[in-house]
Amino acid sequence: MLKEKMLKALNEQIVKEFYSSYLYLQMAAWFEARTMPGFANWMKVQAQEESAHAMIFFNYVNERGGGIELGAIDKPECKFESALDVYEKVAAHEELVTESINNLMDIAFELKDYATKGRLDWFVDEQVEEEANAAEIIGRLKMAGSQGEALLMLDKEYAARTFVMPAPLAGTTA
Ligand code: FEO
C-alpha cells in the first residue's frame, strides 16, 4: 500500500500529466489553424505521450493497492504569438514537470518508498529527453527565423513523428 502523502502526490501528478496532454493538444490546434500540419502532428504525438505518462502513474497506483482519485484538469492557454513562442512555453512547462517529478522523488526518499522511487527513475530520464527535445526545436526555430522555406522544411520533418508506447506501458492497451 502507498502511504497517504505519496498517494496524494501521485494522484496530483496524474492530473498534471493529463493537463500536459491537454495543453499540447491545444497547441496542436494552434498549428493546425496556421496550416502547419507537421508541427500539429508533433504536438498530437506529444499529447499522446502525456496521456501515456498519466496512465503509467494510474497503473502504478492500482498495482500498489489503489486509491486513484482523479482531479479537475485546468483550461490550457490557447493564445500564442508564434511557433517559437509555443515551444518556449513547452520548454517552460516541461521544467515545471521536471520539478514536480523531483518533488515526487523527494517524497519517495522521505518515506523510504523505494518501489515508487524505481518507477520515478524512468520519469527522471524521460524529463531529460523532454527538455532536450524542446530546446532543440527552439534552437531550430530561432535559426529559421521568419524564413518560410526553413519553417516548411521543419514542418515536413515533424510530420513524420509517430507515437511509440513508452516502455513501462509496453504490452498493455493503455
Ligand atoms: Fe509527462 Fe512532458 O512530461
Side-chain angles (χ1 to χ4, degrees):
M1 283 290 283
L2 288 159
K3 294 206 172 106
E4 198 52 40
K5 185 173 178 180
M6 191 81 250
L7 177 62
K8 184 172 180 286
L10 288 169
N11 269 324
E12 285 168 4
Q13 189 65 31
I14 291 171
V15 176
K16 287 178 191 173
E17 298 291 350
F18 277 126
Y19 173 78
S20 302
S21 181
Y22 219 37
L23 173 65
Y24 296 146
L25 198 58
Q26 181 68 70
M27 289 172 169
W30 189 89
F31 281 116
E32 292 273 12
R34 278 150 192 88
T35 53
M36 295 170 98
F39 281 98
N41 173 66
W42 191 98
M43 283 296 172
K44 283 186 208 164
V45 171
Q46 194 62 26
Q48 278 181 288
E49 276 199 7
E50 299 299 351
S51 297
H53 293 171
M55 291 310 296
I56 295 170
F57 284 114
F58 180 92
N59 290 348
Y60 176 72
V61 169
N62 284 327
E63 270 173 45
R64 294 291 307 276
I68 291 282
E69 205 174 314
L70 297 173
I73 303 169
D74 288 342
K75 181 188 188 308
E77 181 174 356
C78 63
K79 291 195 171 69
F80 307 101
E81 302 292 323
S82 61
L84 180 59
D85 178 43
V86 173
Y87 276 93
E88 280 174 341
K89 280 173 177 147
V90 170
H93 181 67
E94 288 301 332
E95 279 173 30
L96 287 179
V97 176
T98 299
E99 221 175 274
S100 183
I101 297 288
N102 289 343
N103 183 49
L104 286 172
M105 197 60 116
D106 287 343
I107 297 172
F109 276 110
E110 180 197 322
L111 301 177
K112 293 189 171 31
D113 183 347
Y114 300 118
T116 301
K117 185 235 166 243
R119 175 42 79 226
L120 290 170
D121 282 341
W122 183 87
F123 281 96
V124 170
D125 293 342
E126 175 70 6
Q127 283 311 119
V128 172
E129 201 184 308
E130 297 271 70
E131 288 193 30
N133 287 344
E136 184 185 295
I137 298 174
I138 287 170
R140 287 170 145 202
L141 283 169
K142 280 184 178 165
M143 264 192 286
S146 54
Q147 293 171 31
E149 207 173 315
L151 287 170
L152 273 175
M153 268 176 63
L154 286 177
D155 194 63
K156 204 171 161 193
E157 183 178 334
Y158 298 136
R161 186 183 187 197
T162 54
F163 173 66
V164 178
M165 190 68 90
L169 285 182
T172 71
T173 49

